Amino acid sequence: APAPAPPPPGKPKLEAPWVWKESRSQPGEWYKLNRTTGERKWDGPNATPSADAKPTPSADASVKIVVRHCLLKHAGSRRPSSHRRETITKTAADAKAEAARVRTAVAAADDAAAAL
């Protein structure tokens, strides 16, 4: 097996089977990957949560996770129509801008479901 790559600047060396991987969607951001299990962690295999960290389901079984899917169609979509609109005229750039606004609003909200 090839020698493990050195850690990115400012990041600690990881014990096997953990390795650093750079995010494809957020270049310059790094996460840890367990090559054995495929588990990914942004905070590391032995990280201790910060004081303002939100509890995870494993830390607090009473935490409720809500997942919402937001689909924004545009004129270049594979099927540019919906049950609401026969023809979609929104540009791809406008759809991306709207998605960014929704993402920002949800991330900043105390109640993510209400932000939608």
Side-chain angles (χ1 to χ4, degrees):
K11 302 290 184 183
K13 182 179 178 201
L14 300 174
E15 297 294 323
W18 292 93
V19 295
W20 287 104
K21 297 293 278 183
E22 186 171 11
S23 169
R24 287 181 285 176
S25 62
Q26 299 174 17
E29 295 293 324
W30 295 82
Y31 64 94
K32 294 154 186 99
L33 170 69
N34 183 316
R35 286 197 167 163
T36 303
T37 66
E39 180 181 4
R40 290 166 170 78
K41 291 188 176 188
W42 286 94
D43 295 323
N46 300 315
T48 53
S50 64
D52 61 344
K54 293 181 181 176
T56 62
S58 61
D60 182 354
S62 67
V63 172
K64 181 179 178 183
I65 297 175
V66 177
V67 177
R68 307 243 179 195
H69 176 84
C70 182
L71 175 66
L72 297 170
K73 290 189 167 194
H74 56 84
S77 296
R78 183 174 27 170
R79 200 180 64 131
S81 63
S82 72
H83 67 281
R84 293 185 196 172
R85 241 189 202 131
E86 191 171 320
T87 304
I88 308 257
T89 58
K90 184 180 295 188
T91 67
D94 287 344
K96 285 181 182 180
E98 185 175 345
R101 283 192 299 276
V102 169
R103 180 180 295 126
T104 300
V106 169
D110 289 334
D111 182 357
L116 294 173

